[in-house]
């Protein structure tokens, strides 16, 4: 039995105690992040938190009376604060017990992920039980989305004085101290005896007594347990923080955590509202405007420095293709400076030939163009750059900016002209039918998405080339 099969077998006993990908399910998730930080956390639809890219997870599970309640036994709903702000909320309902989870990122360039769990008895009868926060050596992000094998090794875990310390300098600050903390390692070794992991112990309601564990194979797991005993209408709050950098979170000992948390959330609400409401849109369906505003916010969350990026996990790089579309969306919603910075920044990577690099790896400061050097060939980026320059001018009428970009635009257009010339030779004009079909278009590239083999002649290379010549002439 290999590692994946072991955990798949464990998940079959109680799927809701494990990440969804182990049951072959596609998880839906969203991000939490500070606009200034290059790192973002991830929140799954069931409330599981993956604070670090390719990192461990913290998964909520309940026990109400004698019954274990996971996402599969509860009614689970998701929303964003005010319907559109990048402050996700996950709500569980099971009978008269309600669990509300709020997650945010705060701290500028060195942010932390903060979570608040609110347990509430919405009924008249006394409710007793436990909230489990399981620390898994696994990701929310599934293997089939570029999540490697889906695992995130934990080799050392130790709980002491409200802080869970993990290897690699990672930590979880349990600002609300748990009633019990348990850790377990060595649950899987190829060729050796197979034991339950901590989730298996939770299912049986038999937690180990140790608060620290080691496992050279990286299979340590742990759990923080919070008891609740709620009368009619009563609530209980649980707070935690996960630093994304080597800085302790904003919360410190002796603070009124509830007051501090509300102040942080209010600050973020005000900040994001000021950004997504720069342009007023009036239509009858608020879901459409909420979706528009949310996507504007997430474009800012995934932005690294001045580089627009389409994602935070697999697409954690700057593509000219995505950036041009993001730039236009932001221009239409009142953002000017961010777009100008992006155009000037990505234009700075233009090669001597005039080619606009299709992708910049912002995580490889030593060699951000390594993919192109390794053979990546995409020709749509020239037209997208020219388009972005022209659109910025149309929105701002900044002639000085336009004149400053003229040299780059001219070089990009000449690069396209040279590319097309390769398919205007006599062998394509007068050659066999398969050659004549390619006369006058751009050469093959790898600009396509999700197509095996190649390179191919790609429609959008030519589409964007025509757009570039159109805007260049304007």
């Amino acid at each position: 039995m290999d590692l994946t099969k072991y955990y798949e077998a464990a998940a079959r006993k109680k799927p809701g105690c494990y990440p969804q990908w182990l049951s072959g399910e596609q998880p839906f998730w969203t991000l939490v992040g500070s606009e200034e930080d290059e790192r973002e956390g991830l929140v799954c639809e069931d409330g599981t938190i993956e604070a670090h890219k390719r990192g461990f997870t913290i998964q909520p599970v309940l026990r109400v009376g004698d019954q274990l309640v996971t996402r599969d036994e509860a009614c689970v709903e998701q929303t964003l604060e005010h319907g559109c702000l990048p402050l996700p909320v996950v709500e569980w309902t099971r009978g008269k017990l309600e669990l509300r989870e709020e997650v945010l990122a705060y701290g500028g360039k060195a942010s932390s992920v903060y979570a608040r769990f609110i347990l509430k008895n919405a009924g008249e009868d006394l409710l007793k039980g436990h909230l489990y926060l399981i620390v898994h050596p696994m990701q929310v992000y599934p293997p089939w989305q570029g999540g490697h094998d889906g695992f995130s090794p934990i080799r050392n875990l130790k709980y002491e004085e409200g802080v869970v310390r993990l290897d690699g300098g990672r930590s979880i600050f349990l600002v609300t101290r748990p009633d019990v903390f348990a850790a377990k390692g060595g649950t899987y070794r190829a060729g050796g005896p197979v034991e339950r992991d901590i989730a298996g112990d939770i299912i049986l309601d038999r937690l180990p007594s140790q608060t620290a564990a080691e496992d050279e194979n990286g299979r340590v797991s742990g759990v923080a347990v919070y008891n609740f005993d709620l009368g009619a209408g009563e609530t209980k709050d649980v707070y935690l923080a996960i630093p994304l950098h080597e800085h302790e979170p904003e919360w410190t000992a002796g603070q009124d955590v509830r007051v501090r948390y509300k102040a942080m959330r209010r600050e973020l609400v005000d900040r994001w509202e000021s950004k997504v409401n720069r342009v007023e849109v009036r239509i009858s369906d608020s879901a459409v405007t909420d979706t528009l505003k949310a996507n504007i916010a997430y474009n800012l969350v995934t932005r690294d420095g001045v580089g627009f990026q389409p994602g935070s996990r697999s697409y954690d790089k700057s593509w000219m293709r995505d950036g041009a579309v993001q730039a236009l969306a932001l221009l239409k919603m009142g953002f000017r400076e961010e777009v100008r910075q992006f155009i000037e920044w990505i234009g700075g990577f233009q090669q001597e030939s005039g080619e606009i690099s299709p992708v910049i790896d912002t995580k490889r400061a030593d060699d951000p163009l390594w993919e192109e050097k390794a053979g990546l060939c995409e020709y749509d980026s020239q037209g997208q750059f020219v388009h972005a320059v022209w659109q910025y001018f149309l929105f701002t009428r900044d002639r000085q900016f336009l004149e400053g970009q003229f040299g780059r635009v001219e070089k990009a257009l000449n690069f396209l002209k040279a590319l097309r010339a390769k398919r205007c030779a006599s062998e394509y004009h007068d050659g066999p039918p398969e050659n004549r079909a390619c006369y006058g278009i751009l050469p093959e590239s790898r600009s396509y998405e999700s197509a095996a083999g190649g390179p191919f002649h790609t429609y959008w290379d030519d589409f964007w080339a025509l757009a570039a010549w159109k805007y260049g002439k304007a």
Side-chain angles (χ1 to χ4, degrees):
M1 179 183 291
D2 65 19
L3 180 64
T4 300
K5 291 186 183 301
Y6 163 74
Y7 277 104
E8 287 175 343
R12 281 195 289 272
K13 298 177 182 178
K14 198 71 173 177
C17 286
Y18 294 88
Q20 289 168 266
W21 64 264
L22 284 167
S23 300
E25 298 177 8
Q26 172 62 51
F28 293 91
W29 47 267
T30 192
L31 298 175
V32 288
S34 165
E35 187 181 357
E36 300 87 2
D37 203 339
E38 295 188 357
R39 299 181 182 180
E40 297 87 30
L42 179 156
V43 184
C44 188
E45 60 186 314
D46 66 354
T48 300
I49 299 170
E50 177 191 301
H52 300 276
K53 180 178 179 178
R54 309 282 186 261
F56 63 87
T57 51
I58 300 175
Q59 181 174 13
V61 170
L62 294 166
R63 187 178 296 278
V64 185
D66 296 328
Q67 185 177 18
L68 194 63
V69 178
T70 73
R71 60 175 180 256
D72 297 326
E73 291 78 36
C75 175
V76 183
E77 297 182 337
Q78 309 81 22
T79 188
L80 298 177
E81 187 75 21
H82 293 188
C84 64
L85 306 182
L87 305 170
V89 176
V90 178
E91 295 180 303
W92 289 29
T93 304
R94 173 66 176 181
K96 296 300 181 179
L97 180 64
E98 297 174 356
L99 171 64
R100 176 184 172 92
E101 178 184 350
E102 301 171 349
V103 188
L104 58 85
Y106 185 92
K109 293 182 179 180
S111 63
S112 297
V113 171
Y114 297 86
R116 178 192 188 194
F117 299 84
I118 311 165
L119 292 155
K120 180 180 179 180
N121 181 355
E124 298 296 327
D125 298 327
L126 184 69
L127 286 177
K128 291 186 177 183
H130 314 290
L131 167 65
Y132 300 102
L133 298 179
I134 308 172
V135 181
H136 281 301
M138 294 168 250
Q139 305 167 188
V140 166
Y141 205 73
W144 54 82
Q145 281 192 291
H148 301 304
D149 60 2
F151 295 97
S152 180
I154 301 175
R155 294 179 173 83
N156 295 284
L157 184 153
K158 181 179 182 180
Y159 172 74
E160 191 173 36
E161 298 296 321
V163 182
V164 182
R165 304 286 183 185
L166 299 88
D167 55 287
R170 301 169 294 174
S171 56
I172 307 166
F173 286 75
L174 301 176
V175 183
T176 304
R177 300 285 181 91
D179 296 290
V180 175
F181 189 91
K184 191 171 187 179
T187 57
Y188 171 81
R189 293 185 179 88
V194 176
E195 303 176 31
R196 298 184 304 273
D197 68 341
I198 204 77
D201 291 337
I202 291 170
I203 293 168
L204 296 176
D205 199 13
R206 299 176 188 170
L207 294 180
S209 59
Q210 65 265 26
T211 59
E214 296 183 358
D215 182 351
E216 63 182 11
N217 296 309
R219 307 308 163 205
V220 174
S221 53
V223 63
V225 185
Y226 295 90
N227 303 331
F228 59 86
D229 189 344
L230 301 174
E234 289 185 337
T235 63
K236 178 173 182 173
D237 288 4
V238 172
Y239 296 88
L240 63 81
I242 311 163
L244 298 181
H245 302 267
E246 294 181 2
H247 299 275
E248 293 199 356
E250 293 282 329
W251 292 332
T252 57
Q255 284 184 322
D256 186 328
V257 176
R258 181 185 297 228
V259 171
R260 179 62 179 140
Y261 172 83
K262 287 184 176 180
M264 289 165 53
R265 193 171 184 85
R266 182 71 256 170
E267 179 186 336
L268 292 176
V269 167
D270 292 344
R271 182 186 306 171
W272 283 113
E273 281 192 326
S274 71
K275 292 181 178 295
V276 303
N277 291 318
R278 291 185 180 183
V279 173
E280 184 178 4
V281 181
R282 296 180 183 177
I283 59 175
S284 59
D285 190 348
S286 62
V288 174
T289 54
D290 283 346
T291 301
L292 170 63
K293 292 176 181 180
N295 277 277
I296 291 300
Y298 281 115
N299 273 306
L300 297 174
V301 167
T302 59
R303 180 176 179 239
D304 279 6
V306 298
F308 296 142
Q309 298 187 163
S312 175
R313 294 312 194 246
S314 291
Y315 284 87
D316 197 14
K317 302 172 187 175
S318 287
W319 271 266
M320 183 68 247
R321 178 184 308 133
D322 301 86
V325 177
Q326 291 173 284
L328 181 56
L330 289 165
L331 284 168
K332 290 185 176 184
M333 292 299 288
F335 293 85
R336 305 288 188 264
E337 181 63 16
E338 293 83 353
V339 174
R340 181 191 63 77
Q341 291 175 348
F342 170 72
I343 293 171
E344 291 181 343
W345 171 75
I346 203 163
F349 291 96
Q350 187 177 34
Q351 299 181 32
E352 188 59 36
S353 64
E355 180 180 3
I356 297 292
S357 297
V359 57
I360 312 298
D361 191 342
T362 56
K363 305 301 181 292
R364 289 279 297 271
D366 59 323
D367 192 9
L369 303 180
W370 69 270
E371 288 192 75
E372 199 164 5
K373 294 176 182 177
L376 179 66
C377 175
E378 299 184 357
Y379 295 141
D380 54 331
S381 52
Q382 330 312 314
Q384 290 147 0
F385 177 77
V386 176
H387 175 265
V389 170
W390 182 244
Q391 290 299 317
Y392 179 84
F393 173 73
L394 291 180
F395 276 87
T396 65
R397 295 296 171 180
D398 185 344
R399 190 170 184 85
Q400 183 178 358
F401 167 84
L402 192 62
E403 291 173 351
Q405 296 300 315
F406 179 78
R408 290 173 175 171
V409 169
E410 185 178 34
K411 288 177 70 174
L413 294 175
N414 285 333
F415 178 74
L416 285 172
K417 183 179 178 180
L419 282 177
R420 183 173 180 267
K422 296 179 180 181
R423 293 295 179 269
C424 291
S426 59
E427 61 184 292
Y428 290 94
H429 186 274
D430 304 318
E434 60 270 22
N435 280 16
R436 295 200 301 272
C438 299
Y439 178 76
I441 65 175
L442 298 189
E444 300 97 324
S445 78
R446 297 188 181 276
S447 299
Y448 51 84
E449 296 279 353
S450 302
F456 300 115
H457 288 96
T458 306
Y459 172 76
W460 62 23
D461 284 350
D462 297 281
F463 171 86
W464 283 109
L466 290 171
W469 286 317
K470 173 184 174 182
Y471 296 127
K473 181 178 180 181

